[in-house]
Amino acid sequence: HQVVESHLLGFSETVTEGSLETRFYRRLRAEMKFPSPDALRSQIQRDLERTRQFFARLQKAQARQSRRVTAAS
């Protein structure tokens, strides 16, 4: 049994039961210990920004690929 801490971007509902499927694209960073709650909050903000940038690039790449496939048809 493994436990994973995930942040669901753009999701604000409360989930208290049931299952949830999570897909991993890449590891964000190694596990870290933080000297204070403020340091942790700052790192989470940096992690969120990197994640948003990653998915923006992924979405652009998928759109380019989709246009190529459509043009080749």
Side-chain angles (χ1 to χ4, degrees), residues 2-68:
Q2 294 183 328
V3 177
V4 175
E5 181 178 336
S6 297
H7 184 97
L8 305 177
L9 299 174
F11 186 83
S12 60
E13 296 180 34
T14 301
V15 178
T16 57
E17 59 185 56
S19 61
L20 178 69
E21 180 178 325
T22 305
R23 294 181 185 191
F24 293 92
Y25 288 89
R26 62 185 262 203
R27 185 179 181 134
L28 187 58
R29 63 174 165 80
E31 186 174 340
M32 300 171 63
K33 292 193 181 222
F34 296 92
S36 69
D38 284 339
L40 172 59
R41 280 190 284 274
S42 294
Q43 182 63 53
I44 289 171
Q45 290 306 311
R46 289 190 298 273
D47 291 347
L48 289 171
E49 182 57 31
R50 286 184 60 206
T51 301
R52 286 185 181 104
Q53 290 173 359
F54 171 82
F55 281 107
R57 287 191 307 270
L58 180 63
Q59 189 174 32
K60 286 180 185 178
Q62 288 173 335
R64 282 192 304 270
Q65 181 65 26
S66 178
R67 285 191 301 270
R68 283 187 207 128

